[in-house]
Amino acid sequence: MTEPIISKRLNSILNVIPHCETFADVGTDHALLPIMAVKNGVCEKAILTDVRKGPLETAKKNIMIYLPEYSEKFDLRLCDGLEKINPFEADVIAICGMGGNLIAHILETNRSASENCKKLILQPNTCVDALRKYLNDTGIKIDNEQYIVDENHPYVIIEAHYTGEKTEYSEQDLFLGKFLSETAEDEYLEMIYGKMRHISEASRGSEGNVRSDFYNELSKRVGELIESRKNN
């Protein structure tokens, strides 16, 4: 049996998929994630969605290359996001490799599906803070976050589920991530620190003193977290 080679990013996402009946991969692209989930016995079947025909054709080819004997376990659907996924149909839904605002939009357009699954796995390439805010505003609880670097690109993987309850988050918490600020390795804090210092300097004279002060305070907080870890 041929096995696909998957990236550190995809492998990290694969590792947080719990055993389930049905796993949905939204924006599946090459289908390597659901292929490995089925192959490893993580899920019994997989729903693969994409808004374009091309990625679904690639997905179909990869299924026949890597797992032809289990091709009946894969349900490929041409649709926009969660459009063709029914409530309670998928136990675990993954939306990965796109912007945080787009992920939020996909969740919002079919809340009956996103709110009635057991687990959401989200990996935004950008606008992580905006996605965190959306999740909290709509009662989706963040259970864990993981920070990884794959080929020099930083990624945050969010595990969440719907509870209907909101958590008190400050604006700084939305930028840092409550879990990551407490549990991530120094590499994450140093990345955030550099980013905040850059934004702080760039905001001077363009966004006003309020935003500049916010970024200054945030970079100060991160700097203190880094120093406190060094002293422990």
Side-chain angles (χ1 to χ4, degrees):
M1 183 187 297
T2 305
E3 183 169 315
I5 298 173
I6 63 173
S7 65
K8 179 181 177 181
R9 178 183 71 89
L10 283 181
N11 193 59
S12 298
I13 296 167
L14 178 66
N15 287 337
V16 297
I17 303 173
H19 186 272
C20 61
E21 177 69 22
T22 305
F23 168 63
D25 185 28
V26 177
T28 192
D29 199 9
H30 38 54
L32 297 184
L33 183 62
I35 285 171
M36 290 301 296
V38 170
K39 179 183 179 299
N40 292 348
V42 174
C43 64
E44 297 302 317
K45 57 185 177 181
I47 299 170
L48 290 63
T49 79
D50 208 287
V51 72
R52 296 172 297 154
K53 291 182 179 179
L56 288 179
E57 288 299 322
T58 300
K60 189 181 299 183
K61 290 177 183 177
N62 282 336
I63 290 167
M64 297 312 295
I65 291 171
Y66 297 117
L67 221 55
E69 64 273 36
Y70 293 119
S71 59
E72 75 283 354
K73 291 179 176 284
F74 298 90
D75 183 353
L76 282 67
R77 302 179 185 180
L78 179 65
C79 64
D80 188 358
L82 296 166
E83 182 183 32
K84 292 185 179 179
I85 296 181
N86 297 318
F88 303 102
E89 185 177 19
D91 302 303
V92 180
I93 296 173
I95 312 175
C96 304
M98 57 189 81
N101 287 320
L102 179 55
I103 292 175
H105 173 73
I106 289 171
L107 293 170
E108 180 65 21
T109 54
N110 190 351
R111 291 179 62 171
S112 60
S114 61
E115 292 178 0
N116 289 295
C117 69
K118 295 176 181 177
K119 184 171 186 176
L120 292 166
I121 302 172
L122 313 171
Q123 183 268 294
N125 288 346
T126 60
C127 303
V128 184
D129 56 317
L131 179 57
R132 289 187 184 115
K133 185 178 187 306
Y134 169 81
L135 296 176
N136 188 53
D137 288 348
T138 54
I140 298 175
K141 181 179 181 292
I142 296 175
D143 299 309
N144 192 38
E145 293 190 17
Q146 180 185 166
Y147 172 75
I148 64 162
V149 177
D150 186 6
E151 296 186 353
N152 296 319
H153 293 287
Y155 299 103
V156 172
I157 300 168
I158 298 173
E159 300 170 61
H161 76 286
Y162 178 75
T163 64
E165 300 176 357
K166 295 183 181 181
T167 304
E168 288 298 322
Y169 283 123
S170 67
E171 193 174 3
Q172 288 192 8
D173 289 330
L174 293 174
F175 268 85
L176 290 176
K178 276 193 171 182
F179 285 97
L180 290 178
S181 63
E182 296 173 0
T183 63
E185 297 179 1
D186 291 346
E187 184 180 28
Y188 172 74
L189 293 176
E190 289 166 0
M191 182 274 291
I192 291 291
Y193 182 75
K195 182 179 179 181
M196 290 303 98
R197 293 301 298 171
H198 174 75
I199 293 175
S200 177
E201 292 174 6
S203 67
R204 290 174 186 169
S206 59
E207 295 184 25
N209 292 331
V210 174
R211 297 310 297 167
S212 180
D213 288 346
F214 168 75
Y215 292 124
N216 278 328
E217 285 299 315
L218 184 56
S219 59
K220 180 181 177 182
R221 177 182 169 187
V222 176
E224 289 171 351
L225 285 170
I226 294 171
E227 285 301 314
S228 67
R229 290 191 178 189
K230 288 179 180 177
N231 294 329
N232 289 336

